[in-house]
Every structure is written in C-alpha cells, then in structure tokens.
Amino acid sequence: MNGALKYSSVKSDTLNFTKYRKHAVRLLIECHGVSAQKARTLSLLLEILEGHRISFSKGDYRFQTKRISTKILAGELGVTPRYTRTLLRILEHAQIITIRRRRISRFMSLWNAFEFSGFIIWLTGFAQTRRTPVPPKEESNPRLLFNGLKFPTANLSQIDRSHKYWRCIAYEVLPAGKDMPCLSSLSQRFRLNLRKHHIGHDDPSIIPRWKAFVKRALDFQNQNGISNAA
C-alpha cells in the first residue's frame, strides 16, 4: 500500500470510510454523470462491501474484502444480481474499487474480492493534511547535524555510543535531584507506543516525542513516589 500510510496515525476505520463515501458520491455525480439517486445506491453498496472487510487494522487487509458472491451482495442491497454487477462496474470504472475477479466451480459462479483503491488514495491525501512535523526551534540547533537520525531498535545501553545521544536527551528533562526511570524499560515502552500510533523511528517529531514520553514517565514516578534509578 501507499508508503504515506505506513506510519500514519490516521485510521482506516469506519468513521473515515464514511467521510470517504460522501466524497465518492460527489465524485460520481460531478465527474461521472451518475444521478443522485443511483449515487446513493452506490454509496449503500460501498457500505455493504465495507462490512465484508477482512480486517480494520492489519496492514493491507484494511483495504480488502473477503471473496463474496454477487448474489450475496444483491441480497443485502435488495436488487437483482444483474443490477449489482452493473453497479460494481460503475464503481470500478470510477476507480473507487478494484475487482479481483475469480470464477469457481463448473457453474462459473462469481466470487470476487474487492479492494478499496479509491479509499487508499483519499486516505493518503487526508493523512498528509493531518501530518504536522515538528521543526527545530533554531537553525543553529546541533541536532540538524544528524542526518537520518533514528530512535534505537534495541534497548538503550550505557556503553553504546549511538545510544548515548538519546540518553542525554532523556536527562535534559530530568529535574535536579530526581532519579531517572530505567531507560532500558522506558525505551522499550516508547517503541511500543510508536508502533501503536504507526509512527516510524525516523519520524521528524521523534525527538520531542521521546522527551515528552520521558517527562510523562517522570511525572508518573513523582506522583506515585517511585524511586527507580537508571
């Protein structure tokens, strides 16, 4: 799928798919000459197809349906299979869906999978408008010297030179006289947090995110009276 979505925090959930369906209806009416009534029927068909998505969160499966027969779709939509095939061709021609065609059995019954190709394009553009990289405060910031800086994929160690930079950033937010939480454990939880929000280790905002994460850990430690030196 599009690389812009790989680390994006924008979700491919039903809420965003509903927003996309409204966009698709406008596209069908304004660019493809579809009547308003038929566009509403096509929107309902997209809603039915979304109900057959393989997954709502896992990789490329977020944008694919399981294989489903035209007869089943027609039954859910309340129209004939022939009319359903016509509607699917309209969506395919408008590049809203891509049909993964497959004919099975000697009776040549149609069982197709559908990819929401239009939703991928729309969501990519939506993700780019929501992306807010954090620029450095000053052009003289020494961190600009680091090209392609990434948060370590292994726990922070005291002797590794490449990890020293991130340990120093953590200690920047440590108040005087306070103990630092275990950085090995803290860095592991930070990586899990990045994965949860689909953020890469080389995201432009990685430095302020790491500082904010350490600060929250310190606040939690102070509130609960925990003393755990790194």
Side-chain angles (χ1 to χ4, degrees):
M1 293 300 163
N2 196 300
L5 295 174
K6 188 173 183 181
Y7 300 117
S8 174
S9 61
V10 175
K11 298 180 180 179
S12 56
D13 55 11
T14 298
L15 179 62
N16 280 329
F17 192 82
T18 301
K19 295 177 183 177
Y20 165 69
R21 283 199 294 115
K22 295 178 180 178
H23 165 78
V25 167
R26 289 195 300 270
L27 182 69
L28 288 165
I29 295 174
E30 296 173 5
C31 301
H32 296 278
V34 176
S35 67
Q37 181 178 356
K38 183 174 287 187
R40 286 193 293 270
T41 304
L42 289 166
S43 177
L44 180 58
L45 177 56
L46 281 174
E47 183 180 359
I48 291 171
L49 287 173
E50 193 217 6
H52 293 280
R53 264 204 272 184
I54 296 175
S55 171
F56 287 80
S57 61
K58 294 183 179 180
D60 294 353
Y61 292 119
R62 296 174 294 165
F63 305 103
Q64 298 177 10
T65 71
K66 63 184 180 181
R67 292 197 177 276
I68 181 171
S69 71
T70 306
K71 184 177 180 180
I72 292 175
L73 291 176
E76 294 185 23
L77 189 59
V79 297
T80 64
R82 183 176 180 179
Y83 187 58
T84 301
R85 287 192 290 271
T86 300
L87 295 177
L88 290 171
R89 283 195 293 268
I90 293 174
L91 292 177
E92 185 180 31
H93 177 72
Q95 298 181 338
I96 292 174
I97 63 172
T98 300
I99 303 177
R100 306 299 184 189
R101 290 178 171 81
R102 180 186 179 189
R103 292 178 180 269
I104 62 171
S105 86
R106 61 178 179 170
F107 299 106
M108 305 296 282
S109 299
L110 286 170
W111 285 75
N112 301 320
F114 303 89
E115 182 183 86
F116 300 112
S117 47
F119 183 42
I120 298 171
I121 296 172
W122 179 87
L123 196 65
T124 301
F126 184 56
Q128 290 173 343
T129 63
R130 294 286 298 272
R131 191 176 180 88
T132 54
V134 180
K137 293 182 180 179
E138 300 178 4
E139 291 185 359
S140 59
N141 193 327
R143 290 174 189 149
L144 292 176
L145 299 175
F146 291 86
N147 185 20
L149 186 65
K150 295 182 180 180
F151 192 81
T153 57
N155 290 336
L156 300 181
S157 65
Q158 296 184 11
I159 58 175
D160 193 319
R161 185 176 179 181
S162 63
H163 292 179
K164 182 179 179 181
Y165 175 71
W166 298 98
R167 294 179 63 84
C168 290
I169 291 179
Y171 277 98
E172 285 181 10
V173 299
L174 179 66
K178 297 294 184 179
D179 291 330
M180 175 65 72
C182 175
L183 284 179
S184 178
S185 174
L186 195 63
S187 63
Q188 183 179 6
R189 294 202 302 271
F190 181 62
R191 281 188 292 272
L192 291 174
N193 183 268
L194 293 177
R195 187 185 308 168
K196 176 182 177 182
H197 293 92
H198 307 288
I199 299 169
H201 287 212
D202 58 349
D203 190 274
S205 64
I206 197 69
I207 293 174
R209 285 181 183 277
W210 172 235
K211 293 180 72 171
F213 192 85
V214 173
K215 189 176 185 302
R216 288 196 298 270
L218 291 171
D219 292 341
F220 178 81
Q221 174 180 288
N222 293 335
Q223 292 172 5
N224 293 273
I226 302 172
S227 178
N228 185 18

